[in-house]
Structures are given as structure tokens and as C-alpha cells.
Amino acid sequence: MQERVVAVVGATGAVGREMLRVLEERRFPVRELRAFASSRSVGSTVTFAGQPVTVRGLDAQAFDGVDVALFSAGAERARDWAPVAARAGAVVVDNSSAFRMHPDAPLVVPEVNPEMLAAHRGIIANPNCSTIQMVVALRPLRELFGLRRIVVSTYQSVSGTGARAIQELDRTSRQFMAGEPETREVYPRPIAFDVLPQVADFDAFGHTTEENKMRDETRKIFGDERIIVHATCVRVPVFRSHSEAVVAETERPVDFDALRAAFRAAPGIVLRDVASEYPMAREAAGRDEVFVGRLRGTADDPCVVSMWVVSDNLRKGAATNAVQIAELLQSRAAFAGKGDAWPHRS
Ligand SMILES: NC(=O)c1ccc[n+]([C@@H]2O[C@H](COP(=O)([O-])OP(=O)(O)OC[C@H]3O[C@@H](n4cnc5c(N)ncnc54)[C@H](OP(=O)(O)O)[C@@H]3O)[C@@H](O)[C@H]2O)c1
């Protein structure tokens, strides 16, 4: 198997560190690993395969000779540097929102729409963490019974906001317990011992950008603009793993025996459907699967399914999905440079 030169951009962040771990665990064939982060981290080290790797800053030569560049450094850095990497001949897998809705960037979840990869032109987008686990869980339902509408409420962990948010929950929880003033830097309202019905910013209609992402990305991944997605995204004081209460309306009446069998056979899904054995965030942490529980219908409507969906946002919601995409490219020997599609940013 041909070994690859792999760049991780944002290697010191919550997702980047997980990427290093996942590359190692899944034995991705790495010949050379390059770690990039902001000027704050240049010269520090991260660990890959038991070895220290010195963190570098991005520059014009950063991607020379790189086969695959896994980006998790935010949308602004992706807009600036992913085209540079693509033009240098690397295939970029970007975790930010920068390219997700770009018509030339496939938005891929390997268990759901791997066929979209074939159309890549050097930049592939990883969906939002909340979207990934939901579409993995909904794929078997959609294939069997069609999908018209999704109403979803999320219970998202703070690691979804990154390393500083993890520290904020830890610090403000201690301050709250000690009766001290809470020092907030990341969230607009308290997150310790509270529930925050705002993930990202509001649009003119009162939806948050996270809620809009869940709608737009779901439609792109399933290739169906007619699916109605109504999301309420909520941040909860949990360190890791997002939970989602999903209510789906199908096109045809649901046969629950067939649905359970499809869930059991589906790659990447663990069905935990015995009443009290529902999945929870802490047990999903560090795992790559999407856990489905509380599966049920309603006597009022044969086309409605409710379920509880839990997955580790840093793993399947980000790092694992990105590395799975790299594995697919590797298996198809699809690391050919196609970066000419991406113009220089003025
Ligand atoms: N957390 C999740 O569950 C999740 C899931 C899906 C997608 N994402 C996306 O993944 C990205 C990273 O998220 P995160 O949670 O890992 O955030 P994070 O913990 O804040 O990490 C951000 C990373 O970006 C680096 N960075 C910042 N400015 C940079 C610059 N100018 N040049 C190079 N590197 C720079 C940081 O380096 P320093 O350490 O030097 O500051 C750090 O390594 C975001 O786009 C996020 O939307 C996150």
C-alpha cells in the first residue's frame, strides 16, 4: 500500500488532536505527518505514532508534496489555505463550513453518500457534526420508507465549540460550585449547570446558523431539496458527544421490524433499542459509531418515527469522518491533484 504525506491543519485543536489519534488507530499509511497551527503554537509539539511532531505555521510551501490535507482550523483559514493546498496537488478534507455548500465541493459521509467523492476537484467538505450523526441514522429509514420531514432537537456538547469551550465548562462549573463569579469567554450565556438554546448566531428569521446548516447539509447529502428540516440546536453542559431527539416523517408507512433489521445491518450504527438501554453521551465518547435508541412510532400516524441518536462529535462528527474519506480516496488511489478548479483568493 502506498504511504502518504499527510498534513493536519489545526493539529493542536480539539478536532486536530483527535485526527492524529484516529489516523494512528486506523493505521492510515502515513509516510510523513506535517502538523500546522496558529503562530501561538509554532514550535510546540504534538504526538503522532509515539513521536513528537513540531508544529509549523502555514506558508506558501506548506503543502508541497502533500497527498492529503485534513483541515480543522476554522472557515477563515480554510478559505485562505485549502485552495493553496489543492493547487499544490493535495486533496483537502475540510471540517469547517467554508466549502460545505460550494457546488464544486462534495459533502461526504462515507456511510451515506460515498459516490459523491468521485466528483471531487481537490476540496472535499466534512459536514457539521450534528448533521453527520443524524444522516447516518436516517439513511436506513429513508432508503426503506422515504423521508419528507425531520424535526430535530439537539443536545450538543461543549467540545463541539473547541478547546476553549471545554475549558469554559470546566472552569465555570468549578466557579459556580464555589460561589464565585463565572468568567465566560466563549458562550453568550452561562453553560455550567444550564441549557443554552443557541448554537452559533441568529439569522433574520430567528434560526441559528447551526440550525440552517442541519437543513442545508442534509438536503445536499441526500440530494433532495424537498426534505423539510426543522432543527432546534441546544448546547448542554456535557463535555463530549452530541445527543439528538429526531422525529422523522416518512413517505410510506413504517414497518418497524424491517427498520430494526436495517439498523442492525447498517454500517456505523449501533441499535440500542431495549427500553432502558438507550445510548448516552458519556458512553458514546471515544467511539466511532452512531448510537440509536428510543426507537418508536405513534399510533396516530404510521409515517412517523422518533429516535434518540448519540455520537461523539469529535470522532464520527469530525475526525473519524475525515479519515474515512481519506481511506476511501486511498482505496481508489484518488489523490490526483485537481486543484486548478480553485482560483487564488484576492
Ligand atoms: N469540535 C467539533 O466537534 C467539530 C466538529 C466538526 C467540525 N468542527 C470544525 O473544525 C474546526 C476546528 O474546530 P475545533 O473544535 O478543533 O477548534 P479548536 O479546538 O479551537 O482548534 C482550532 C485549531 O485551529 C488552529 N488555528 C487557529 N488559527 C489558525 C491559523 N491562523 N493558522 C493555522 N491554524 C490555526 C488552532 O491553533 P492554535 O492551537 O495554535 O490556536 C487549533 O489547532 C472548526 O472549523 C470547527 O467548526 C469542529
Side-chain angles (χ1 to χ4, degrees):
M1 190 188 298
Q2 195 177 347
E3 294 193 319
R4 303 294 180 175
V5 179
V6 179
V8 176
V9 180
T12 52
V15 173
R17 287 181 186 279
E18 206 61 41
M19 281 173 166
L20 298 174
R21 228 170 271 140
V22 174
L23 283 166
E24 193 177 329
E25 281 173 23
R26 295 175 74 100
R27 298 178 189 280
F28 190 82
V30 178
R31 176 156 57 85
E32 179 194 339
L33 188 116
R34 295 186 199 166
F36 297 97
S38 79
S39 53
R40 290 180 291 276
S41 306
V42 169
S44 66
T45 57
V46 291
T47 304
F48 178 71
Q51 302 295 320
V53 178
T54 303
V55 175
R56 298 165 48 175
L58 291 165
D59 58 37
Q61 285 73 47
F63 300 102
D64 290 353
V66 168
D67 293 300
V68 61
L70 306 179
F71 272 63
S72 64
E76 199 51 38
R77 261 72 61 191
R79 279 189 210 101
D80 286 343
W81 291 99
V84 175
R87 282 197 302 274
V91 178
V92 173
V93 183
D94 178 39
N95 264 280
S96 81
S97 58
F99 295 97
R100 288 183 189 146
M101 299 314 294
H102 194 294
D104 287 336
L107 184 65
V108 176
V109 179
E111 293 87 344
V112 180
N113 63 341
E115 69 285 350
M116 265 188 106
L117 263 190
H120 90 80
R121 301 176 71 185
I123 299 179
I124 297 158
N126 226 34
N128 179 276
C129 40
S130 313
T131 308
I132 291 179
Q133 68 185 68
M134 184 173 79
V135 296
V136 168
L138 287 174
R139 185 193 61 88
L141 177 77
R142 180 171 181 267
E143 279 180 5
L144 285 173
F145 310 110
L147 186 58
R148 294 163 69 97
R149 184 190 306 264
I150 303 161
V151 180
V152 54
S153 300
T154 70
Y155 304 71
Q156 298 182 220
S157 71
V158 295
S159 58
T161 320
R164 287 175 61 231
I166 297 170
Q167 291 160 11
E168 181 152 315
L169 175 58
D170 181 65
R171 184 183 62 249
T172 56
S173 298
R174 291 171 200 276
Q175 290 168 333
F176 180 91
M177 291 301 284
E180 297 167 2
E182 292 166 49
T183 50
R184 282 188 284 112
E185 294 167 5
V186 178
Y187 291 118
R189 303 274 290 272
I191 187 62
F193 303 98
D194 221 323
V195 167
L196 194 59
Q198 177 188 355
V199 178
D201 301 321
F202 288 103
D203 69 12
F205 303 98
H207 301 291
T208 63
T209 42
E210 184 87 349
E211 290 158 359
N212 291 335
K213 285 177 191 174
M214 290 191 80
R215 177 196 61 212
D216 298 341
E217 295 177 17
T218 299
R219 289 175 170 170
K220 180 168 176 178
I221 293 164
F222 283 139
D224 184 352
E225 286 297 313
R226 293 165 310 166
I227 298 176
I228 297 165
V229 182
H230 197 79
T232 302
C233 292
V234 180
R235 190 74 66 188
V236 292
V238 165
F239 281 107
R240 199 157 161 161
S241 304
H242 294 348
S243 306
E244 297 176 350
V246 179
V247 181
E249 186 186 323
T250 57
E251 284 168 350
R252 297 176 290 282
V254 175
D255 172 342
F256 277 83
D257 289 339
L259 181 59
R260 285 192 174 88
F263 275 138
R264 289 199 187 92
I269 293 181
V270 176
L271 182 64
R272 283 276 179 76
D273 196 33
V274 178
S276 60
E277 290 183 16
Y278 42 77
M280 289 177 66
R282 276 163 51 179
E283 62 170 316
R287 300 278 299 263
D288 288 319
E289 305 94 326
V290 172
F291 295 83
V292 176
R294 302 289 324 274
L295 184 65
R296 63 208 191 278
T298 162
D300 302 328
D301 188 338
C303 293
V304 167
V305 174
S306 295
M307 57 179 128
W308 179 246
V309 179
V310 185
S311 192
D312 184 333
N313 52 291
L314 295 177
R315 301 276 300 198
K316 183 57 191 165
T320 303
N321 199 72
V323 174
Q324 284 177 304
I325 290 171
E327 288 171 348
L328 280 178
L329 294 166
Q330 171 77 354
S331 68
R332 298 173 185 183
F335 285 115
K338 299 185 181 182
D340 291 346
W342 302 96
H344 290 267
R345 209 179 168 214
S346 55

